[in-house]
Amino acid sequence: MNWLTDVLHNDPDPTETREWIESLKAVIDHSGAERAHQLLENMVELARRAGAHLPFSPTTEYINTIPPHLEPRMPGDQTLEWRIRSIIRWNAMAMVVRANRKPGDLGGHIASFASSATLYDVGFNHFFRGSDGEHPGDLVATQGHSSPGIYARAFLEGRITESQLDHFRMEVDGRGVSSYPHPWLMPDFWQVPTVSMGLGPIAAIYQARNWKYLESRGLMPKTDRKVWCFLGDGETDEPESLGALSIAGREGLDNLIFVVNCNLQRLDGPVRGNGKIIQELESQFRGAGWNVIKTIWGSYWDPLLANDKQGILKKLMMETVDGEYQNCKAFGGAYTREHFFGKYPETAAMVASLSDDDIWRLNRGGHDPHKVYAAYDLAMKTTGQPTVILAKTVKGYGMGSAGEALNPTHQTKKLDDDAVRAFRDRFKIPIDDDQLKDGNVPFYHPGEKSDEVQYLLERRRALGGFVPKRRRKADERLTVPKLESFERLLKSTGEREMSTTMAFVQSLNIILRDKQVGPRVVPIVCDEARTFGMEGLFRQIGIYAPTGQKYKPVDRDQLMYYREDAAGQVLQEGITEAGAMASWMAAATSYSTNNLQLLPFYIYYSMFGFQRVGDAAWQAADMRARGFLLGGTAGRTTLNGEGLQHEDGHSHLLSGAIPNCRSYDPTFAGEVAVIIQHGMKRMIEDQVDEYYYLTLMNENYPHPDLPEGAAEGVIKGMYLLKDAGKPKKGELRVQLLGSGTILREAIAAAELLDKDFGVTADIWSCPSFTELRRDGYDAERWNRMHPEAKPRKAYVTECIESRPAGPVVAASDYVRSFTDQIRAFVPRTYTVLGTDGFGRSDTRANLRRHFEVDRFYIAHAAIDALAKDGKMTAKDAARAIKLYKIDQEKPNPLGV
Ligand SMILES: Cc1ncc(C[n+]2csc(CCOP(=O)(O)OP(=O)(O)O)c2C)c(N)n1
Ligand SMILES: [Mg+2]
C-alpha cells in the first residue's frame, strides 16, 4: 500500500496530480516544509477567491507541531534535571502514600502529578519568572491534583519543611499543607485556586486580559509577563474551561499559555476512548484563534517518523484511538508491537529490530524535556495570539503495575511495598530496602549543599525567585473618599424618588471622581449596563476595547453614546456571568498579583449571581478577592415583571454562607453610601481580605435622611429608623424589622397598626440579617466557652432589649430563612415573613400579597404576635384578617 497510489486511484487526471505532488515534494526537500506551507496557503486563497468551496480543516496530523529540526537546543544539565525531577516525583508520591498509611482517610493523588512532572519541571527550571527582582513575575495556575509535586519541589527549595510534607492534608493545627491550591489556607504560597475543574482556566484567561487592560489604561507598564495555566484533558469537559477561549483569541492574549496535560484519562476512565482528545482540542482552540502546539511524541519516535516516507506510521497514529493508546501504556512493549505497530506490515517492519523494552521506551512528548522545552520556547516567542500546548502524557507515569495508565489510577493513593520499591528503582532514588522496611516510605532530601539543590536554587535565582509565591498586601497606601463625600446620598431626597440602584450609580460616580481611587475603579457589566441605568459610564469613562473603536457608533449624536476606547475603564464582558466573575476576580486580586490595588464593581442580575456562578464566588473567597458584587434588580417581588427565573429571593442565603463575604440588603440611599464607603475603607485602606455583596432594587421611592449616628448600625446590620418613643401607659407596641424595599411595607404597616388598632411600632432598618446572625453566633459561642465570665450580648439582642416592649416581626423580599437567621438572638416573640416559593410576573402589589409580605400581612402578623403574647386576643387577630381582606384559605405560596 502506498499513500500516493491511494490518492491517484480515482483521480480523473493522475498525471497532472502526480506532477503537482512531485513539485511540492521538491519544495519540501529544497526549501523546507514552511515554504511548502506558505505556497499552499496562497493556492488555497486563490482557489477560494475563485469560488471553490474549501472547508476549513481544524486539525493537523497526529504528530508534533514542531518538527525536530526546528527544536531549539535545550540549555541546562539534563542529567541533573532528571535527578531533581526523580526526587520530586518520589517525595510527591511519598507524601500521599504516607498520608494514607496513617489513620484518617486523608486521600491524595499520585497519578496526576506523575503524568505532569516534566511539564512543570521544565517550566520551573527554564521559564516561570518570579517577582523578587525587576520582573513582576509570571502567574502559574497549576492543576489542583498535582499539588504534591509543587510541594515536593518547594521542599527541595527549602520553603516547606519535612514536617509540613508529612502533614499533607492535616491543616487544622497549622502544621501541614493544603490538599489543593488554597490561598486562604496558604496565603504566602498559592495564588490561584484551581481544584474545582474549569475555574482555573477561565480565571487564567481573564487574568491575562486584565493585564492587557491595565497596560492599555497605563496603570501598569507593558511587560512580557505570562499567565501559565496547567489543566487536565478531562477538565476540558467543563464549559468554563473552553467557554472563554474566544475572548483570548479575539483580544490576542499573547501573555497567556495553556498547558493541557493530555494523559488521555480522567477519573473514571479514558477522556475520549473512542476518539482523540488532542485532535478535538486542537480544533477547538484553533477555531478560537489560538496558537496550537501539539507535543505528542518524545524524541525516541523521531527516527521512526523520519523513516516514515510513505506516511504509514502517521496514518496509523491518526487512526488509533485514545483507548488503544492507553492500552499500549498499560500493557507494555509486546502488546504495542502486536496491536499497534502490527496493524500494517510497513509499521511492523519499522520496529522489527527493536526489543519490546525499546518499544516500551518510545516516549510521549509530555515526558520528554526537550520536546516540552521546544514547545514552551515557541509559546514564549508567540506574539498576537494565546498559545495552548497539548502535551501527551501517561497517567500514573512511573507507577508501574500499581497504576500506570490503568482506569482506577486517579484514585490510587496507596502503594504496596513492591510498588514502592519499583518506583524507587525506576527513578533511582538512593534509599535502600532497609529504609523501606515495615511499610516505611521516607522522604528523600539530597542535602542543601547537593548539586541537585544548588542547581535548582540557581535556576530560581536566575528566574527571579520562587514560584508560586503570594503577596499578601499591596505596598501602596491609598486613601478612600470619606463618608462626607457621599453627602447628597445621606440627605433626604424630599419628594424626589429614586431606586437603590441609582443610589449605587451615584456612589460610583462620586468614587470615580476621586483622584486616588477613581482610576482604580473597574466597573464590570455583562450586557446589563442599561438595565441598571449605567449607560452614562460608556461615554464618560469609555468601554475597554483593545483595538479602540474602529467604527462610528450608531448613537454617536447622543450624549451617552457607545464609546469604545483602548484606554476605556468599563469592562463590558458580554453575556457571560462566568467570564465577568473571573474578570472581577482578576481585578479583585490585583493587590496581590500586581502590587496594585483595584476596586472592581461587578453588577449583574442577582439571580444570575451566586446561584449561577456560586462556585466561582467561593473561589473568589478562597483567593482573598477584594471588591464589590452588586446583585442588581433584586428581590422576589421588587423585580416584578420578569417572573420566575429572574426574581431573586435567596441570593442572600447563598452569599451568607461565604465566610468572608459581607452581604447587605439596603433600603435607602444613605445606607448604600455607608456600606460602600465602609467596604472601600476596609478593603483598600485596611487591606482586609473580604468582599461585599449588595442587593440593589429598581423600585423608585423617596429616601429619608440617614439618621444621626446610624452608620455604625448599618454596618452591624440594624439601626432604629423610627423611634416611637416611650410607650404611654396601656399603649401596645411592636418592633418591626425589614430590609430592602419591604422595609417600606413595614413602615406602611406601622401606620395601619396605629390607625386601625392604636398599636405603635418602633421601626428597624436591617441592612444585614447575615451580619446580625454572625455577630449573634459569635456572642453565643463566646459565652459557651466562658461560662464564668460576664456574658456578651448579641447586637440584635441589645437593640431589641433597648426598646421597652413589643414582639418582633421581620419581613424582607427574601425567603423566610433569611430573616429567621437571627431568631436565637431575638429575646421576644419573633415572626418572620418572606418570599418562599417560585416568583412570577405581576404587579409589585399583587406579588407582595401573593407572598404575604405586604403592609397588610405585616400588620396582621403584628396583631397576631401581640395576641400570642397575651396583649391582644384571637378576636383582634381575626378582625385584622377581615379588615385587611386576607384570604384565610389562600394556599401557602411555597407550593404554588
Ligand atoms: C468541578 C469539579 N468536578 C469534579 C471534580 C472531581 N475530579 C477531580 S479530578 C477529576 C478528574 C480529572 O481528570 P483530568 O482533568 O484529566 O486530570 P488528570 O488527573 O488526568 O491530569 C475529577 C472528575 C472536581 N475536582 N471539580
Ligand atoms: Mg487527564
Side-chain angles (χ1 to χ4, degrees):
M1 196 199 62
N2 176 316
W3 171 78
L4 192 54
T5 330
D6 262 8
V7 168
L8 298 179
H9 183 58
N10 274 329
D11 196 303
D13 189 348
T15 319
E16 188 183 39
T17 306
R18 187 183 294 275
E19 277 170 17
W20 278 82
I21 288 172
E22 295 301 335
S23 316
L24 191 67
K25 273 190 173 163
V27 173
I28 294 172
D29 289 345
H30 291 108
S31 314
E34 293 73 41
R35 174 66 186 145
H37 183 178
Q38 197 180 21
L39 285 174
L40 285 173
E41 287 283 343
N42 290 335
M43 299 298 154
V44 167
E45 202 174 314
L46 189 68
R48 281 210 174 109
R49 275 194 205 153
H53 175 65
L54 301 176
F56 163 69
S57 168
T59 52
T60 57
E61 289 273 21
Y62 197 63
I63 54 171
N64 293 352
T65 306
I66 307 172
H69 71 278
L70 291 182
E71 284 168 12
R73 245 184 78 83
M74 185 177 178
D77 181 334
Q78 290 324 302
T79 317
L80 209 46
E81 288 194 18
W82 185 84
R83 285 220 308 270
I84 293 168
R85 185 157 57 251
S86 299
I87 297 169
I88 292 175
R89 283 178 182 285
W90 173 267
N91 287 329
M93 176 278 290
M95 274 177 94
V96 179
V97 172
R98 289 172 71 92
N100 288 285
R101 288 185 177 184
K102 292 178 192 166
D105 287 335
L106 292 166
H109 301 85
I110 303 171
S112 300
F113 180 70
S115 66
S116 54
T118 308
L119 301 177
Y120 288 111
D121 232 41
V122 173
F124 280 117
N125 286 336
H126 302 283
F127 292 95
F128 306 157
R129 283 139 326 164
S131 57
D132 289 354
E134 290 296 294
H135 199 277
D138 296 323
L139 191 75
V140 183
T142 52
Q143 260 183 288
H145 298 77
S146 289
S147 60
I150 313 300
Y151 295 135
R153 169 169 276 268
F155 171 58
L156 292 191
E157 290 169 344
R159 297 204 287 155
I160 281 185
T161 62
E162 183 164 334
S163 163
Q164 281 176 297
L165 284 197
D166 203 25
H167 290 89
F168 175 50
R169 294 185 167 224
M170 297 185 81
E171 302 182 82
V172 166
D173 292 321
R175 287 182 298 176
V177 287
S178 301
S179 49
Y180 302 119
H182 294 304
W184 185 262
L185 299 168
M186 294 177 67
D188 300 313
F189 193 85
W190 293 116
Q191 295 176 284
V192 197
T194 48
V195 77
S196 174
M197 313 254 106
L199 296 189
I202 193 167
I205 290 173
Y206 283 89
Q207 178 60 60
R209 184 329 192 73
N210 181 269
W211 283 349
K212 295 276 185 189
Y213 163 83
L214 293 177
E215 288 175 5
S216 200
R217 285 191 55 209
L219 285 172
M220 213 168 84
K222 282 201 177 352
T223 68
D224 65 347
R225 288 177 97 175
K226 304 277 182 205
V227 178
W228 289 82
C229 179
F230 289 77
L231 60 152
D233 48 359
E235 184 170 8
T236 63
D237 290 343
E238 291 284 4
E240 288 86 350
S241 300
L242 302 184
L245 294 189
S246 62
I247 182 184
R250 190 163 64 244
E251 300 199 359
L253 302 182
D254 49 15
N255 55 351
L256 176 64
I257 300 170
F258 268 26
V259 180
V260 188
N261 172 22
C262 297
N263 55 25
L264 314 186
Q265 289 175 244
R266 48 191 176 204
L267 194 153
D268 283 343
V271 178
R272 295 288 182 274
N274 297 307
K276 281 209 279 301
I277 186 65
I278 290 179
Q279 298 302 93
E280 188 177 318
L281 291 175
E282 175 183 28
S283 66
Q284 282 169 304
F285 278 91
R286 196 182 296 282
W290 288 54
N291 170 41
V292 180
I293 303 175
K294 296 198 289 190
T295 303
I296 302 179
W297 308 111
S299 307
Y300 292 114
W301 288 89
D302 286 346
L304 294 182
L305 282 162
N307 282 333
D308 183 32
K309 299 283 184 237
Q310 308 297 337
I312 314 252
L313 177 57
K314 290 194 253 314
K315 174 178 150 74
L316 174 61
M317 286 170 162
M318 190 67 112
E319 284 167 358
T320 306
V321 294
D322 283 354
E324 198 48 43
Y325 280 119
Q326 187 186 343
N327 282 333
C328 291
K329 283 302 166 192
F331 301 132
Y335 178 95
T336 307
R337 182 194 303 282
E338 185 185 343
H339 294 272
F340 178 76
F341 290 108
K343 185 163 175 198
Y344 298 113
E346 291 90 339
T347 46
M350 279 179 177
V351 292
S353 61
L354 300 186
S355 69
D356 287 350
D357 281 348
D358 290 338
I359 292 180
W360 170 246
R361 267 194 291 277
L362 289 169
N363 53 348
R364 289 189 178 168
H367 294 296
D368 184 332
H370 300 273
K371 302 285 183 193
V372 174
Y373 182 89
Y376 289 3
D377 182 65
L378 182 58
M380 292 288 286
K381 291 176 180 151
T382 300
T383 55
Q385 271 184 305
T387 293
V388 61
I389 292 155
L390 303 172
K392 184 157 160 158
T393 60
V394 182
K395 190 141 181 171
Y397 184 83
M399 287 168 74
S401 56
E404 198 152 342
L406 301 182
N407 278 340
T409 187
H410 186 85
Q411 303 287 65
T412 306
K413 38 195 149 278
K414 300 185 182 187
L415 296 188
D416 63 23
D417 293 349
D418 286 345
V420 168
R421 274 193 295 272
F423 199 100
R424 174 204 57 189
D425 295 342
R426 179 143 173 196
F427 296 111
K428 302 195 167 38
I429 304 298
I431 290 180
D432 54 37
D433 282 349
D434 270 3
Q435 292 171 276
L436 297 178
K437 269 214 307 259
D438 307 324
N440 192 25
V441 188
F443 293 116
Y444 177 71
H445 195 296
E448 277 169 40
K449 300 254 159 7
S450 64
D451 290 349
E452 289 89 343
V453 170
Q454 287 307 310
Y455 180 88
L456 166 145
L457 290 178
E458 184 281 318
R459 289 314 308 147
R460 289 318 314 161
R461 265 193 299 274
L463 287 160
F466 296 127
V467 173
K469 192 165 89 180
R470 188 181 172 280
R471 157 185 286 281
R472 285 192 190 219
K473 290 189 194 310
D475 291 327
E476 61 182 2
R477 298 195 68 82
L478 300 181
T479 310
V480 305
K482 300 267 171 297
L483 191 57
E484 297 83 74
S485 320
F486 297 85
E487 201 188 346
R488 51 185 292 213
L489 293 163
L490 307 175
K491 293 265 169 273
S492 160
T493 59
E495 297 285 289
R496 198 167 50 87
E497 298 194 335
M498 69 169 187
S499 65
T500 45
T501 304
M502 273 165 71
F504 158 68
V505 176
Q506 291 182 12
S507 306
L508 190 62
N509 272 301
I510 291 165
I511 304 166
L512 280 167
R513 279 197 295 273
D514 184 81
K515 290 236 153 22
Q516 276 198 6
V517 180
R520 307 299 182 87
V521 169
V522 182
I524 301 174
V525 289
C526 45
D527 205 32
E528 295 287 1
R530 291 180 200 279
T531 310
F532 308 123
M534 291 171 68
E535 62 272 35
L537 293 181
F538 293 167
R539 190 198 53 85
Q540 192 188 324
I541 51 174
I543 298 164
Y544 170 66
T547 55
Q549 194 154 28
K550 295 183 180 170
Y551 63 97
K552 281 214 171 86
V554 66
D555 52 1
R556 57 187 169 273
D557 299 336
Q558 289 165 28
L559 192 63
M560 302 202 251
Y561 70 94
Y562 200 83
R563 184 170 75 86
E564 299 194 63
D565 191 324
Q569 193 166 352
V570 176
L571 287 175
Q572 166 62 276
E573 304 297 2
I575 312 168
T576 165
E577 281 76 11
M581 203 52 202
S583 176
W584 178 81
M585 269 186 263
T589 51
S590 171
Y591 70 91
S592 172
T593 332
N594 308 323
N595 196 12
L596 175 89
Q597 298 187 80
L598 296 176
L599 186 63
F601 289 88
Y602 167 34
I603 182 161
Y604 53 88
Y605 260 126
S606 68
M607 269 298 253
F608 307 135
F610 285 90
Q611 73 170 358
R612 173 134 190 168
V613 291
D615 202 14
W618 189 253
Q619 180 192 31
D622 181 357
M623 211 168 173
R624 297 168 176 266
R626 304 178 191 161
F628 288 95
L629 292 177
L630 303 130
T633 51
R636 192 153 277 166
T637 69
T638 305
L639 172 61
N640 56 317
E642 295 284 319
L644 186 150
Q645 190 83 49
H646 283 71
E647 291 165 6
D648 170 27
H650 53 274
S651 65
H652 277 285
L653 288 189
L654 305 175
S655 69
I658 298 176
N660 51 345
C661 168
R662 302 186 63 182
S663 319
Y664 290 90
D665 183 34
T667 309
F668 296 122
E671 298 171 6
V672 172
V674 165
I675 297 160
I676 289 183
Q677 198 276 338
H678 172 80
M680 274 196 303
K681 180 172 180 311
R682 292 269 296 176
M683 296 187 288
I684 295 215
E685 282 185 15
D686 306 342
Q687 298 214 41
V688 179
D689 296 340
E690 60 191 16
Y691 70 80
Y692 285 73
Y693 175 55
L694 274 74
T695 38
L696 301 172
M697 314 283 195
N698 64 348
E699 187 170 343
N700 292 315
Y701 45 82
H703 294 248
D705 285 332
L706 183 78
E708 239 349 88
E712 196 190 333
V714 170
I715 299 307
K716 285 176 146 180
M718 78 190 282
Y719 68 92
L720 190 59
L721 179 70
K722 192 191 141 224
D723 181 346
K726 215 169 157 226
K728 294 191 214 61
K729 204 164 172 341
E731 177 185 324
L732 291 179
R733 171 66 54 91
V734 289
Q735 304 297 317
L736 299 184
L737 276 55
S739 71
T741 54
I742 299 301
L743 172 61
R744 298 181 68 261
E745 294 296 326
I747 296 170
E751 285 172 23
L752 294 177
L753 286 167
D754 195 12
K755 178 167 66 83
D756 299 328
F757 292 90
V759 170
T760 57
D762 293 316
I763 302 174
W764 298 86
S765 174
C766 300
S768 186
F769 283 97
T770 305
E771 288 295 304
L772 293 177
R773 179 249 297 163
R774 288 177 175 173
D775 166 77
Y777 281 147
D778 194 46
E780 181 212 55
R781 173 181 173 278
W782 192 90
N783 294 341
R784 206 169 41 250
M785 299 290 186
H786 304 88
E788 289 170 324
K790 179 168 176 271
R792 282 187 190 168
K793 258 196 189 137
Y795 175 64
V796 189
T797 318
E798 254 173 28
C799 288
I800 300 296
E801 284 182 350
S802 74
R803 310 309 298 165
V808 184
V809 176
S812 81
D813 218 2
Y814 292 84
V815 292
R816 291 160 78 171
S817 358
F818 176 55
T819 42
D820 210 21
Q821 357 176 25
I822 59 167
R823 178 176 296 279
F825 319 109
V826 178
R828 307 213 180 133
T829 302
Y830 186 44
T831 308
V832 293
L833 302 180
T835 55
D836 298 67
F838 284 114
R840 59 208 58 207
S841 39
D842 210 312
T843 62
R844 289 189 180 121
N846 283 348
L847 287 171
R848 288 172 186 168
R849 176 164 49 83
H850 170 80
F851 284 109
E852 305 167 8
V853 292
D854 67 10
R855 58 201 65 187
F856 304 110
Y857 279 91
I858 296 174
H860 165 249
I863 302 295
D864 183 67
L866 284 166
K868 282 208 185 82
D869 280 359
K871 307 276 184 204
M872 291 180 98
T873 61
K875 259 207 169 63
D876 293 314
R879 181 161 81 87
I881 289 185
K882 210 153 159 204
L883 184 64
Y884 298 135
K885 300 192 174 60
I886 288 171
D887 173 4
Q888 285 178 280
E889 302 314 319
K890 183 176 167 292
N892 182 346
L894 178 71
V896 181

